[in-house]
Structure formats: C-alpha cells, structure tokens
Amino acid sequence: MAFLKPCLECGELTRLGSRCERHQAIVDDKVKARKAQRTLYDSDYKKQARLIKQFATHCWLCNEPFTDRSQIQADHVLAGVKGSVLMPAHARCNASRGNKPIINP
C-alpha cells in the first residue's frame, strides 16, 4: 500500500509520485518540448552551420560585416523549425531575435 504524498505544486494528496496527475502532465509536456528542441540541432544542422561559419561575410539580420569570426552563428530563418534554411548571424543579433519571426516593414 502506497502512502499519499502532497503534490510539489499544489499540495493535493497523490499516490502518483511527486506531483498530482494535472501537474505531472504539465511537467511531462515540458520534458517533451525540451527533447523536441534538441533534435533541431542534429548532424545535418551541424554540417550546414560549419559551412556557413566558414564562408560567411555579413550578418543576415543587421547586414554588418563580421569582424570577429568566433561570433558567427548559424541562424534558422524560420526560428525553431527543423530543416529551416540557415543564415549567418552575429551572436548578439541571433540572441536578440530569439524565436521571433522576421517581419519586413
């Protein structure tokens, strides 16, 4: 016979483990999303990124030339979409864009 324990999130008593059914489902969804994100950077991405970093001259986001080769990153044109075209970007430009789509005025 398993003892009832309080959910870590809401305190509801449960036999499931550390969380009630509702909160465990939320945690499971977050884990699933993290795993899906990891597959975005597979070996094909790494090969393409290496080529982009090797031959890049300008950032596709700000159109400024690269002065520090270590700051070049391969950026997905469609942020967060596996298989999206990769373009060279400054690390700062890529970070400031995040997962936001590009909007042309």
Side-chain angles (χ1 to χ4, degrees), residues 4 9 37 43-44 50 94-96 98:
L4 296 174
E9 309 295 330
Q37 185 68 23
S43 62
D44 287 339
R50 227 182 343 264
N94 194 11
S96 66

Side-chain angles (χ1 to χ4, degrees), residues 46-59:
K46 291 175 185 175
K47 287 176 193 173
Q48 291 176 17
R50 227 182 343 264
L51 287 172
I52 285 171
K53 290 176 186 180
Q54 184 177 358
F55 295 106
T57 59
H58 289 74
C59 174

